[in-house]
Amino acid sequence: MEQTKSAVVNGFAATFSSTMSDSASGSVDKSVQVKLVLLGEAAVGKSSVVLRFVSNEFQPNKEPTIGAAFLTQKCRLEDRILRYEIWDTAGQERFHSLAPMYYRNAQAAVVVYDVTKASSLEKAKSWVKELQRQANPNIVIALAGNKVDLVQSSASSSGTSPSLDSEDEADDATATPGETPGSSGDPESLRQVPREEAQAYASEAGLLFFETSAKTGEGIVDIFTEIAKKIPIEHILAATRGSSGRPGASGNRTEGTRQQGVNLDDNAPKPKDACNC
Amino acid sequence: MPQTLKLDEELLEEDIGTLSPYPSMASASSSRASSATISSTTVSQLPEDLDIHLMMHQNSTRRQSFGPLASPSSPTLSLPSDVRPKQLSRSHTLPHGFRNIEKSPRKRQVEIEKLVVDEELVKKMQRWMLGIAAVQFDLEDGPVIDGIYPPVKLSPAERENIAFSAFPDSFQFDQGSQNHSFRIREELKDLANRRCPLSVDGFIYGFAHFTQRRDPTSKRGYYQSSIVILTYHPYPALFSALASILGPLFQSHEIPMLESACYNIATWRDPTPGETLELGFLGTVLHVEIPHSVDTQQLTETSSFNEKYNPKRHILATTTPFLPPPLLLFEASLSNLWSIWECLVLCEPILIFGASPAQTSQAIWWLRDLLRPIPVAGDFRPYFTMQDGDLSLLVNKLPPKAGLILGVTNPFFEKSCAHWPHVLSLGRRSIPTSASFKTPSLDSSAGPAPGWKTRTHKRYISKDRVLLKQLEHACRGDDRSRLMASLALRRHFCSRTTQLITPLARYLNSLIPSPTEVSRARTSTNILRLKPFNSANFFASLKAHGSTLPFKSTGKRTEFYERWLKSPAFGTWVAQQEQIVQDVLNTDEPLST
């Protein structure tokens, strides 16, 4: 357990600069701004995923998010610096209709479900559908099956350090959906979403896929790293240069927010280009 | 009022989109109404079936309506005179038994009351604001606050003042929305029972987003609602931006949006003076520079955004919103701007008429900004209604108070302020209809014709004719050139104000005790302070060193400074300087000379 954690922590440190001080300062340096939104059913662990990513912390029994929390994290990918502007949205149904203002103009989305709750994958699928229909057409979507620590026996997770990108690492997946054995001591019995099922869905829908644990840190950094690799950075930079004539801040963000304060409806006409001042 | 115009709703929506070029950040008046162009667009799209008479009739069921412009908040224009009870309460203005006490609470009211109030979170929210009020036009009660979240203790008079200030008091448009702001006096009666933290200057600032749309189910024919951010921080650019983001979202999502907004604010860092912050708000990221003090000039050239200042992306908290371009407000008085600035710094009272509260508030924050680094010596009200508790205090038969700047839209004030020395009416003069500009009938307020009228003021400094030409040119140009000209205009007068201060600062420097005096005094218990200000010595210094302000003559220069030294602005400024010097002198730090 401890081993896994420190391995992840090291990976974290290598890839992501600590941005506690950066996170709230208004400085927009030469990094590429990436708007990222987290979506998913209530209580699947969205805020915990972000907290692990941004502060490398875990808090059990976090209170539900109201609206959406905003956090930032810088991340280096080869010679590029990305700066994630993360909108961690509330999963509660009463906030569902607010989601468009968070995913509008987002370059990336992490859709989270809970591997121990089959219905949460269904909700995740509906979010993916909504994103594919209404969000930025180039949006990079990652599907994250969280709480994987709950379905791992302590032996297996502390033994071999899990290599998340490895396809054949997969759990034993003896449990099939619907077939939930009673009170067996096997944590795997808690699993309601087989890895293969989610993986297959993700490939079909063109999503990045991870199983994660915000509690242990497993897979968290990987999500953001893989997203960073897939983000069309050159495209963002080009858009920035095109619209503002200035490097650094994202022009497409300007583009988007301009219409946002005005009309939430998607049929709002596209505003004209901003003037270059 | 044309009644044969066709409303094209889609056009109106598009209108909103293109006319609010800010990246979600505020325009002073988000959608239309604040600038001449914007309003004229509105006019061209007035609906065929807009029934002004019906509206008037409905207004008059409660109060007498005034003139051709029916008002959303139905101002009590039937008042016999300009003398009114100081604390006007709604209960005194309405017929006996008017209010139905049995009435069940409105839905929104109930929902806001049900919201969870976490003391810790509320404290965090209240670092930035007191709360956000949802205000509705109730058919029976008029403007009423449905609720405020987080909850704020307000006196009944304060609630009423906020409710009335949240709505335009003249007809604005058929359907649409706009931003405006106001400043109301805080009641200091029961300090013990006070909301915390306390205000700095005794005023509550309100930043409102008003929405009106047709509603066939309403007897009034319209749904009218405002969302108002109440705060002690005089940061118009920031809070107008927030209101313009929240306002439209609140109209479509109601309470969850209100909660989301407040919870976002709870996660912000402290509003620390001198900091530049990145604030996440409802899916938008705002880059905001908080000034070192309210009297610090926040210059675009020296802004701290790590890149060149961009008015569409960066917010200098204390400036007026720069969109729509403020230049348009002064289109009819461009050549008078130098006189207006002089009146401003000399603490002359100025009455400002606008077609909308959006215009008046943008203009008054603009003027207040130009005063920096001189502290505010008078009162200023970005949008002042007849329901304000200070009405009889500020508007009466006496000469208006020094430094008072009042922003009004109600034609009532034209009469009751007829004795005021200076009146600035915003917007452009009516011009013949052309292809691009339709007759701005809604644009010109019901008050005096746009332009500057002064009874007494004679200019001391010369105009900058090159700049004036640029401004005139920009008015005929596109939005970009108007914005650039507005920023150039601001720079010009910011530096004029600095130039005004320079000779005084130079003279004050000579009043600072010398290092030997300081070291001698430090061995004793004497408090070190500036030597007394001596007018004769100052004028000698002025004569010797001159001024960079382009006075028309040295005689004018002397006259100007004689007047300025008598103005309350000088008093507040010099007191502030004395304090600063005294603080430095009486620290134990060694003085660097």
Side-chain angles (χ1 to χ4, degrees), chain A residues 68 83 94 257-258 261-262 264, chain B residues 16 21 24 248 253 259 264 278:
Chain A
R83 192 156 169 285
R94 68 190 170 114
T257 47
R258 176 147 37 94
V262 172
L264 201 72
Chain B
I16 292 174
S24 80
H253 300 273
E259 269 185 286
N264 273 161
E278 180 180 51

Side-chain angles (χ1 to χ4, degrees), chain B residues 158-169:
Chain B
E158 284 171 335
R159 289 182 76 89
E160 188 171 321
N161 204 346
I162 291 166
F164 275 97
S165 304
F167 288 103
D169 65 359

Side-chain angles (χ1 to χ4, degrees), chain A residues 222-235:
Chain A
D222 309 58
I223 307 174
F224 294 90
T225 311
E226 292 305 311
I227 288 175
K229 287 184 193 164
K230 219 179 154 186
I231 290 277
I233 292 176
E234 296 306 328
H235 183 79

Side-chain angles (χ1 to χ4, degrees), chain B residues 57-74:
Chain B
H57 174 69
Q58 278 160 1
N59 276 338
S60 61
T61 56
R62 197 163 79 78
R63 288 175 187 166
Q64 250 183 297
S65 189
F66 180 90
L69 295 180
S71 138
S73 60
S74 305

Side-chain angles (χ1 to χ4, degrees), chain A:
Chain A
M1 204 68 180
E2 204 48 48
Q3 215 179 352
T4 312
K5 195 172 176 178
S6 66
V8 170
V9 171
N10 288 340
F12 185 95
T15 323
F16 298 94
S17 59
S18 166
T19 53
M20 291 313 285
S21 59
D22 167 77
S23 63
S25 93
S27 63
V28 181
D29 48 33
K30 302 293 174 211
S31 55
V32 181
Q33 311 288 316
V34 176
K35 183 176 180 184
L36 181 147
V37 62
L38 275 97
L39 297 163
E41 194 174 86
V44 295
K46 293 178 294 299
S47 300
S48 297
V49 166
V50 178
L51 188 65
R52 173 61 74 189
F53 177 57
V54 172
S55 325
N56 198 22
E57 285 169 15
F58 179 74
Q59 281 174 22
N61 307 315
K62 264 183 84 71
E63 66 288 352
T65 304
I66 304 284
F70 172 69
L71 301 97
T72 63
Q73 175 65 295
K74 239 187 231 181
C75 130
R76 183 185 294 277
L77 183 76
E78 288 150 17
D79 59 339
R80 284 247 187 275
I81 297 173
L82 267 73
R83 192 156 169 285
Y84 280 117
E85 293 178 350
I86 303 168
W87 291 93
D88 167 28
T89 66
Q92 291 173 1
E93 205 47 44
R94 68 190 170 114
F95 293 111
H96 185 120
S97 65
L98 275 56
M101 70 186 184
Y102 299 111
Y103 65 65
R104 169 159 297 135
N105 296 294
Q107 284 102 10
V110 178
V111 179
V112 185
Y113 69 96
D114 173 351
V115 295
T116 70
K117 199 177 173 201
S119 67
S120 69
L121 179 65
E122 292 315 306
K123 183 71 191 175
K125 287 179 181 174
S126 79
W127 276 123
V128 170
K129 221 178 273 169
E130 181 169 339
L131 286 172
Q132 290 178 333
R133 205 175 51 239
Q134 300 196 39
N136 174 357
N138 299 318
I139 192 167
V140 176
I141 306 175
L143 181 69
N146 194 34
K147 303 195 188 176
V148 75
D149 57 286
L150 293 177
V151 302
Q152 292 163 338
S153 62
S154 49
S156 77
S157 66
S158 65
T160 58
S161 85
S163 148
L164 287 152
D165 298 329
S166 139
E167 293 299 321
D168 41 50
E169 188 270 332
D171 45 68
D172 293 320
T174 45
T176 48
E179 181 193 326
T180 343
S183 55
S184 112
D186 181 10
E188 188 62 27
S189 65
L190 286 170
R191 185 186 274 276
Q192 287 191 4
V193 180
R195 185 185 171 98
E196 291 72 18
E197 184 195 328
Q199 174 88 66
Y201 160 69
S203 320
E204 192 192 330
L207 320 174
L208 295 166
F209 174 67
F210 306 88
E211 282 199 338
T212 59
S213 166
K215 190 172 178 183
T216 67
E218 179 178 335
I220 302 293
V221 168
D222 309 58
I223 307 174
F224 294 90
T225 311
E226 292 305 311
I227 288 175
K229 287 184 193 164
K230 219 179 154 186
I231 290 277
I233 292 176
E234 296 306 328
H235 183 79
I236 295 175
L237 284 174
T240 306
R241 278 191 293 270
S243 81
S244 78
R246 194 171 302 117
S250 70
N252 39 357
R253 185 171 46 132
T254 309
E255 192 69 34
T257 47
R258 176 147 37 94
Q259 93 191 60
Q260 184 160 49
V262 172
N263 194 341
L264 201 72
D265 296 332
D266 284 82
N267 50 18
K270 272 249 176 287
K272 284 179 215 150
D273 276 351
C275 69
N276 296 347
C277 46

